[in-house]
Amino acid sequence: MSNNVGSLLADCEVTFATSKEADQIVHLLKDVAKWLKEQEIDQWGFLAAGGEDDEIRQAISNKDTFIVKRHEEIVATFTLYDTPSSWDKHTWGHVNDKAVYLHRLAVSRSNMGSGLGKELLQWLEQYLKKEGKNTLRLDCVEKNNKLNDFYRSNGFEQVGIGDGHTLFQKNL
């Protein structure tokens, strides 16, 4: 897949994840969840405890999960759902539009603070536009100020709160 956004992605490949990479993806996500806990950020506790392992593997199997590789190392991952998951329905309510929902965007610890997350969001926008999508949604823990600020600074609009989570949307 094309990755013609930003210099950090220039030497990376963004592809669909495969089942052979599932363990690496779960490990990366749990490592980020552990880091969040160490920072006393209440985000992804359920994931850290293994509560999403099956969902993560199913998303990989369904070709909903992407990986970002640099020199054969997975440096980031994210999942896109074309239809709302049960969690999305819980937090967003039952909306009847064609939004895409972003889940589990994670950058490896060694790449945190590098700007890779910002470039991934730019890549996502380009990718979704090419796919004919016009709205990207996500949520994060309302009290995770740093992450809330990150999404705001990248053009996402806060459109509500659902079950203690800030609901963000970006029209593409």
Side-chain angles (χ1 to χ4, degrees):
M1 289 176 202
S2 171
N3 54 3
N4 54 352
V5 174
S7 59
L8 293 170
L9 282 176
D11 62 347
C12 293
E13 181 183 17
V14 182
T15 62
F16 287 108
T18 65
S19 58
K20 71 179 182 172
E21 295 150 334
D23 289 342
Q24 291 173 277
I25 293 165
V26 169
H27 176 76
L28 185 147
L29 290 167
K30 288 187 179 187
D31 189 50
V32 171
K34 180 181 174 190
W35 179 85
L36 288 165
K37 185 175 182 177
E38 289 168 1
Q39 305 304 307
E40 298 182 1
I41 298 170
D42 183 23
Q43 180 104 27
W44 286 6
F46 186 63
L47 185 151
E52 292 186 30
D53 287 10
D54 290 341
E55 182 182 336
I56 292 165
R57 292 178 188 284
Q58 187 63 54
I60 292 167
S61 177
N62 293 346
K63 297 282 185 217
D64 293 326
T65 298
F66 294 73
I67 56 169
V68 180
K69 276 188 168 183
R70 180 183 296 130
H71 310 296
E72 299 304 311
E73 177 190 354
I74 297 174
V75 296
T77 185
F78 58 91
T79 298
L80 295 174
Y81 291 125
D82 281 332
T83 57
S85 67
S86 58
W87 173 255
D88 295 321
K89 290 175 186 174
H90 172 76
T91 54
W92 286 85
H94 292 278
V95 288
N96 295 318
D97 60 11
K98 299 290 183 185
V100 175
Y101 294 82
L102 174 62
H103 289 271
R104 295 184 292 275
L105 171 62
V107 174
S108 65
R109 283 195 198 203
S110 61
N111 286 276
M112 287 181 180
S114 69
L116 182 59
K118 178 178 180 144
E119 286 191 17
L120 273 176
L121 289 177
Q122 293 168 349
W123 182 93
L124 270 166
E125 287 180 45
Q126 289 183 1
Y127 173 78
L128 291 172
K129 284 179 187 176
K130 287 178 191 169
E131 295 290 312
K133 309 298 182 185
N134 59 13
T135 306
L136 179 60
R137 291 189 178 138
L138 60 93
D139 67 82
C140 65
V141 171
E142 182 181 9
K143 293 179 181 175
N144 187 341
N145 294 326
K146 188 172 183 178
L147 191 55
N148 280 269
D149 290 344
F150 171 75
Y151 287 119
R152 281 188 198 97
S153 71
N154 282 284
F156 284 82
E157 177 185 357
Q158 180 179 336
V159 295
I161 302 290
D163 193 15
H165 290 71
T166 309
L167 306 177
F168 285 105
Q169 179 171 300
K170 188 168 192 178
N171 297 321
L172 309 173

